[in-house]
Amino acid sequence: MGLVQTSIILISACIRVFLRLKAEQRVKIMAEYYRDGHWQADISSTDLVPGDIFQIEEGSQVPCDAVILSGTVVVNESGLTGEAMPIRKFCFPDDDGLYEMEGTRQSNTIFAGTFVSQRVYGLVLRTVIATEKGKLVRKILFPSSVSFIFDEHIKMAICILLLWGGITFGFTLYLMGRAFTINQSVCAARLRKKQITCIDLTRINLAGKVNIFCFDKTGTLTREGLEFFGSWYKGERVQEPLKMDPVLAMGIATCHAVTKVGEEFIGNPVDIESFHAMHWEPVPSCCLDYLDSFMPPNPDLKPVHVIIRCEFVHAFASQSVAVLDSGSQDVHVFLKGSFEKVKSVSSEASLPVDYDTVASGYAQQGCYVLALAHKNLGELDKDITIADVKQMSRETLEDGCEFVGFILFRNMLKDDTKEAISQLKQGDVRTVMVTGDTALTGISIATQCKMIEPGKKVILGDLIQQENHQQIIVWREVVENGGQQQEVREIDIDSKTTELAMTGQAFEYLVFHNRIDEYLLFTRVFARMTPSHKVTCVQLHMEKGVTGYAEASMVSPFSTGNRTIMQCVELLKQGRAALATSFANYRFLIFYGEIMCAWELTMFYFSVIAPQSIWITIDGFITISMTFAITQAKPGNRLSPARPTAKPLGIYTLASCCGVIFINFLFAMTSIIWLFQQDWFICNEFDSTSIDTAKWWLLGDNYESEIIILVVLFQFFNSAAIVNFGTSFRQSWWRNYVLVFLILADPNPYSCMFRINCGSRDTLVALGYPEPSWEIPVYNSPVGHNVLPKYFRWELWAFVMGNCLANILWERVILLWVVKSWVSKRREKYIKELL
């Protein structure tokens, strides 16, 4: 068997080495690249260095991070960002702007590992591990270490148990590690059935201690797509495109980066939704000066051509285009972005008096609100030329625009979001929204899904710049239905009556001035958060507790194809069950080691040895089967208001272990004392001088060994049962005690196999039992049997049941009821005093 296992290990290692070498030798051959003043062909992509110019063919994978030198290309970046929607990239513009790969020039950059749909020329910027793909691979292969209290305590626990158990604990320690591994594998298999993939098994137990969960809004709490809800123009919401103001309709239909590849539209989902709603169609451009051309749904109108496009970037919170109306030959500039951004750049004269009220009202209804501004550059070739437009910087292009109207989208909750938030709150998990959308929209969605309880007062903090150019945070109470927000001078932070929300600017200000800790755990909605703000926010929450974050990520330890936050609930249920099961196995193996220790000491004292069948049963059946059976407990149906302990040296764990060990030891010693008080035993005590000691495997053919074995075997099963009753984290698991048959039944093949309640053939006949039809080795004892009187069998059965009952009372009543209630009350009192 050992040779077979060794062969399997060696063959597996050889296959792994072969596949690794084969993967390292597999390189891509570039079509051609430019270096030292001339083009070279058939060069390996591994030879590329920063500064090379290369050509990549249609449908090929990009081997490095590069800037596009010519052409326009559609790129699939799902391998980097997790977003399946292809995006459009453009060549680096010929201007004086500063190139920033992670900033405004991201639309001019192609990244390693992505796929391009057209031939393109690029300038190599980063290669190998320095690319964005390389950084992702490095994060996956070398994930950041996590400090977990379990890891800190387990070291000390192992040292104490090694000193206490010695050699016996060495075996227990080995099984404990195996038990944790089995348990994590079982939970990972259950998660896979729920379409949740785990790439780091150690994080499963960590999920059981999550007490804060941060959620993105769009696509996480709400549905993937937004529904176009029309436009607002001069006090009226219009949804029919042909009834909209012509300038507003033209802006909505052209101010985007949507393109059509084959029959598929590619671009931002919001832009695609609004473009479809306007019923305009992309048409081939009639001139190389035009980026795109669009045909209005009105057949009497002529196409509109896009001359220049400024892509959306988080730094500007806007995007803009310059278009040519071929009918009037006028050049129009459209600026689209958040209503706060458009307000700041639009002329004051164009802003309606109720601008903020209208935007806030729709946002509080859960709408995603964008604003559109416009300016007319004049007639082409009379007031301005295409060359003049193309030479304009973004700031010049967008300067002097006038507000036109609002663009509205409805953001609907997913069907199970409300139920998932409810279960998380019942499980004592704080739910937080971290979104890039407006604060009022975020508050509306949080209220709809009951993240913010009905009737609670919501106070919103925003950063305001005063006339003396000093920045302060102003807190205002959010009024329903878009009413005037009242400024709050003093904030009464009471989690039962008040919820806080803040904008990204306010968050950044508080972080910079080290004041965020005052508000962090009382803030429910973080709005207008940039990607860097979101990372900082989650990291700050992680300093306060074990935090989960639900968003698309390729390097997360958990991922799922079922994009619903009920998967977060399922993950926490499985995590809590896994952590509770790990500690159940941990405690069982401690019980096992201590029972074995007490048993062996008792056998050494009486100079007896248990039969071989008993040793085989304990080592080959009880330990493995009980440990495995413990891992099969399924998670609870709902999250409990408490989390399982993660402290191997915590008060509950130590009290449970010490109490059960003491009770088991007390009952084991009591059973021996009780045996020696029996009248039928006084003349049948074990005497090693009256047996054949050469037959050491039969040194258990006596009453002392029999009583110890029966009590200890029950203690093994009882120990597994008391850690497996099922708690608020796991479902109950019950086991029928087949060992009852060993105590209550008359001599039978089953009991004789274990050398319990049996005897030699002739002795059993002399005692009045039928002659056995099975083979029984002669008992190595002067008495010739160890058959217990019938009345004593019932008393012994009651005795071991009393042992089990005492353990249950200690574990379930004293620890999990009386002590737990006392600790919970003390904890609530401490939290109230702290607040």
Side-chain angles (χ1 to χ4, degrees):
M1 188 63 183
L3 290 175
V4 173
Q5 293 178 347
T6 303
S7 300
I8 293 174
I9 294 173
L10 291 176
I11 292 173
S12 300
C14 291
I15 293 175
R16 186 174 181 180
V17 170
F18 172 77
L19 294 176
R20 181 67 178 270
L21 293 176
K22 185 176 180 181
E24 291 179 352
Q25 293 174 356
R26 190 188 305 121
V27 296
K28 291 184 178 295
I29 303 301
M30 302 298 299
E32 56 181 345
Y33 81 114
Y34 186 84
R35 183 190 293 175
D36 298 331
H38 60 278
W39 289 92
Q40 302 181 34
D42 297 331
I43 301 299
S44 171
S45 60
T46 58
D47 294 332
L48 289 175
V49 297
D52 287 342
I53 297 176
F54 68 97
Q55 173 189 321
I56 186 167
E57 297 294 334
E58 178 180 351
S60 300
Q61 185 176 10
V62 181
C64 60
D65 289 354
V67 60
I68 303 173
L69 297 181
S70 67
T72 301
V73 63
V74 175
V75 182
N76 186 341
E77 293 186 345
S78 60
L80 287 178
T81 63
E83 298 291 342
M85 187 70 67
I87 62 175
R88 196 176 185 185
K89 300 280 186 173
F90 308 91
C91 67
F92 185 75
D94 185 14
D95 57 22
D96 297 329
L98 180 65
Y99 178 78
E100 296 176 357
M101 180 183 296
E102 304 296 339
T104 59
R105 299 302 186 182
Q106 193 170 4
S107 62
N108 308 125
T109 308
I110 52 177
F111 298 95
T114 61
F115 292 84
V116 298
S117 58
Q118 291 95 12
R119 176 186 296 180
V120 68
Y121 290 89
L123 174 67
V124 178
L125 298 178
R126 297 185 301 199
T127 61
V128 198
I129 200 67
T131 63
E132 289 297 316
K133 183 73 172 183
K135 292 177 182 178
L136 283 179
V137 172
R138 183 168 54 191
K139 288 182 180 179
I140 294 173
L141 295 179
F142 307 99
S144 58
S145 59
V146 178
S147 178
F148 192 35
I149 192 171
F150 174 82
D151 299 324
E152 301 297 329
H153 277 223
I154 195 64
K155 301 173 185 177
M156 192 181 304
I158 291 174
C159 293
I160 294 175
L161 290 173
L162 281 173
L163 293 175
W164 176 258
I167 299 176
T168 305
F169 181 73
F171 182 57
T172 305
L173 181 62
Y174 171 80
L175 289 177
M176 183 173 63
R178 287 290 181 263
F180 286 162
T181 303
I182 293 173
N183 174 53
Q184 291 171 355
S185 300
V186 170
C187 287
R190 288 178 185 156
L191 288 172
R192 281 195 297 272
K193 292 179 180 179
K194 300 289 185 178
Q195 299 182 12
I196 301 175
T197 303
C198 176
I199 63 174
D200 187 359
L201 294 182
T202 59
R203 300 295 182 98
I204 295 178
N205 281 351
L206 186 61
K209 293 297 289 183
V210 169
N211 55 5
I212 303 172
F213 226 119
C214 299
F215 294 98
D216 188 24
K217 181 181 71 69
T218 306
T220 304
L221 297 173
T222 60
R223 295 174 184 172
E224 296 289 343
L226 295 172
E227 179 183 344
F228 184 71
F229 196 50
S231 63
W232 182 93
Y233 178 74
K234 292 185 178 181
E236 183 181 4
R237 184 182 69 84
V238 180
Q239 193 158 356
E240 180 61 40
L242 295 178
K243 296 180 180 180
M244 293 182 185
D245 176 72
V247 175
L248 179 58
M250 183 188 299
I252 298 175
T254 60
C255 190
H256 54 74
V258 176
T259 186
K260 190 174 184 181
V261 177
E263 296 299 322
E264 182 181 5
F265 286 91
I266 297 174
N268 187 295
V270 175
D271 290 340
I272 294 176
E273 174 67 17
S274 60
F275 181 75
H276 282 318
M278 300 306 295
H279 304 305
W280 287 48
E281 289 293 334
V283 294
S285 298
C286 60
C287 177
L288 295 178
D289 290 329
Y290 305 146
L291 298 179
D292 289 304
S293 298
F294 300 99
M295 178 63 71
N298 189 340
D300 298 332
L301 299 178
K302 294 184 178 181
V304 176
H305 310 290
V306 178
I307 302 173
I308 186 173
R309 177 185 291 116
C310 298
E311 299 292 327
F312 174 84
V313 290
H314 287 283
F316 296 118
S318 63
Q319 60 181 323
S320 56
V321 294
V323 301
L324 171 64
D325 183 356
S326 59
S328 64
Q329 291 298 303
D330 286 340
V331 178
H332 300 273
V333 174
F334 293 102
L335 169 67
K336 182 175 71 175
S338 66
F339 62 83
E340 300 96 336
K341 174 66 177 179
V342 173
K343 179 183 178 181
S344 66
V345 300
S346 298
S347 62
E348 293 186 6
S350 66
L351 296 173
V353 178
D354 57 350
Y355 183 96
D356 291 328
T357 303
V358 172
S360 300
Y362 280 113
Q364 284 188 284
Q365 295 176 30
C367 289
Y368 180 63
V369 183
L370 296 176
L372 187 72
H374 161 265
K375 72 176 179 179
N376 193 329
L377 296 180
E379 187 176 344
L380 185 67
D381 295 331
K382 181 178 180 182
D383 300 313
I384 196 170
T385 64
I386 291 181
D388 294 335
V389 176
K390 288 184 174 292
Q391 291 177 359
M392 286 185 178
S393 65
R394 180 167 189 158
E395 291 74 13
T396 304
L397 189 70
E398 298 177 355
D399 184 53
C401 289
E402 296 183 349
F403 172 73
V404 177
F406 293 116
I407 309 172
L408 307 175
F409 300 87
R410 280 194 296 194
N411 209 186
M412 307 298 291
L413 281 178
K414 291 182 178 178
D415 296 334
D416 55 1
T417 295
K418 188 180 297 185
E419 174 63 20
I421 294 296
S422 174
Q423 290 195 32
L424 288 173
K425 295 177 74 172
Q426 290 177 7
D428 193 28
V429 178
R430 177 172 177 79
T431 54
V432 178
M433 183 189 297
V434 185
T435 177
D437 209 338
T438 63
L440 295 177
T441 302
I443 293 170
S444 174
I445 296 299
T447 303
Q448 291 178 38
C449 68
K450 301 299 178 65
M451 187 179 289
I452 296 177
E453 293 290 344
K456 279 194 174 183
K457 179 171 62 176
V458 181
I459 299 177
L460 172 63
D462 196 5
L463 188 67
I464 302 296
Q465 187 167 352
Q466 296 179 315
E467 294 181 358
N468 57 3
H469 301 291
Q470 289 186 348
Q471 292 180 327
I472 62 170
I473 293 181
V474 176
W475 297 92
R476 293 187 175 92
E477 182 178 351
V478 177
V479 182
E480 295 183 0
N481 301 323
Q484 184 67 32
Q485 298 179 4
Q486 302 296 325
E487 185 173 342
V488 179
R489 296 293 182 182
E490 294 183 2
I491 303 176
D492 181 17
I493 300 178
D494 186 349
S495 59
K496 294 184 178 180
T497 61
T498 305
E499 295 283 8
L500 298 184
M502 67 175 63
T503 63
Q505 291 181 337
F507 173 79
E508 187 176 11
Y509 178 87
L510 291 173
V511 171
F512 181 79
H513 290 86
N514 296 321
R515 293 176 51 197
I516 189 63
D517 288 346
E518 302 175 24
Y519 307 97
L520 184 69
L521 295 182
F522 298 97
T523 303
R524 188 70 66 177
V525 177
F526 296 86
R528 286 300 187 208
M529 301 285 278
T530 65
S532 61
H533 286 161
K534 292 181 180 181
V535 172
T536 304
C537 184
V538 173
Q539 289 176 343
L540 289 171
H541 278 93
M542 290 176 66
E543 295 176 2
K544 303 297 181 182
V546 183
T547 304
Y549 182 44
E551 190 188 40
S553 175
M554 292 297 291
V555 294
S556 171
F558 300 99
S559 59
T560 178
N562 184 9
R563 302 191 64 171
T564 164
I565 65 170
M566 281 302 295
Q567 296 293 76
C568 301
V569 178
E570 186 64 34
L571 174 60
L572 263 59
K573 289 195 295 186
Q574 294 287 352
R576 292 185 179 187
L579 188 57
T581 301
S582 294
F583 273 83
N585 262 332
Y586 170 81
R587 289 158 53 212
F588 169 70
L589 292 176
I590 292 176
F591 297 156
Y592 168 83
E594 296 307 319
I595 293 171
M596 285 288 291
C597 180
W599 182 30
E600 291 186 8
L601 289 175
T602 307
M603 288 193 298
F604 291 157
Y605 177 81
F606 288 105
S607 300
V608 298
I609 297 178
Q612 298 179 64
S613 54
I614 297 297
W615 287 108
I616 294 173
T617 300
I618 294 174
D619 293 339
F621 172 71
I622 292 179
T623 306
I624 297 176
S625 64
M626 292 296 96
T627 302
F628 177 76
I630 289 173
T631 65
Q632 302 307 300
K634 296 181 179 180
N637 294 324
R638 300 184 72 87
L639 290 174
S640 166
R643 283 166 290 279
T645 181
K647 300 178 180 179
L649 297 180
I651 295 177
Y652 167 71
T653 306
L654 292 177
S656 174
C657 293
C658 293
V660 173
I661 290 171
F662 174 77
I663 293 172
N664 285 340
F665 183 78
L666 180 63
F667 270 83
M669 295 301 101
T670 302
S671 66
I672 299 298
I673 297 173
W674 182 36
L675 174 65
F676 274 81
Q677 294 176 347
Q678 302 301 311
D679 296 336
W680 51 268
F681 173 74
I682 295 177
C683 298
N684 296 320
E685 297 180 22
F686 175 71
D687 184 3
S688 59
T689 61
S690 61
I691 64 170
D692 184 0
T693 55
K695 297 180 179 180
W696 57 267
W697 59 90
L698 298 179
L699 292 179
D701 293 344
N702 50 76
Y703 288 112
E704 292 90 336
S705 175
E706 180 182 22
I707 294 298
I708 297 171
I709 289 171
L710 289 173
V711 173
V712 165
L713 286 178
F714 266 91
Q715 288 181 349
F716 281 132
F717 282 89
N718 292 343
S719 297
I722 62 174
V723 301
N724 241 312
F725 269 103
T727 62
S728 52
F729 316 114
R730 302 184 299 151
Q731 296 179 2
S732 300
W733 170 84
W734 299 95
R735 176 171 291 274
N736 294 320
Y737 290 102
V738 295
L739 293 181
V740 173
F741 190 66
L742 287 177
I743 296 180
L744 298 181
D746 287 335
N748 57 79
Y750 180 66
S751 63
C752 289
M753 179 179 65
F754 290 97
R755 311 288 284 184
I756 292 176
N757 209 40
C758 190
S760 301
R761 183 186 298 271
D762 296 338
T763 305
L764 293 179
V765 174
L767 291 174
Y769 293 103
E771 183 176 358
S773 59
W774 59 91
E775 183 65 27
I776 303 176
V778 178
Y779 261 58
N780 188 15
S781 167
V783 181
H785 70 91
N786 58 3
V787 178
L788 299 172
K790 288 188 176 181
Y791 74 89
F792 186 77
R793 297 178 206 168
W794 285 99
E795 291 177 355
L796 182 59
W797 178 79
F799 181 82
V800 295
M801 289 296 100
N803 188 175
C804 181
L805 180 61
N807 286 333
I808 293 173
L809 290 174
W810 171 255
E811 183 75 17
R812 303 289 295 181
V813 178
I814 297 178
L815 290 183
L816 293 180
W817 184 20
V818 179
V819 176
K820 185 178 179 180
S821 299
W822 179 79
V823 172
S824 298
K825 291 179 181 178
R826 290 292 301 272
R827 180 173 177 267
E828 291 177 1
K829 182 179 179 181
Y830 171 76
I831 293 176
K832 289 180 180 179
E833 293 175 352
L834 185 64
L835 294 175

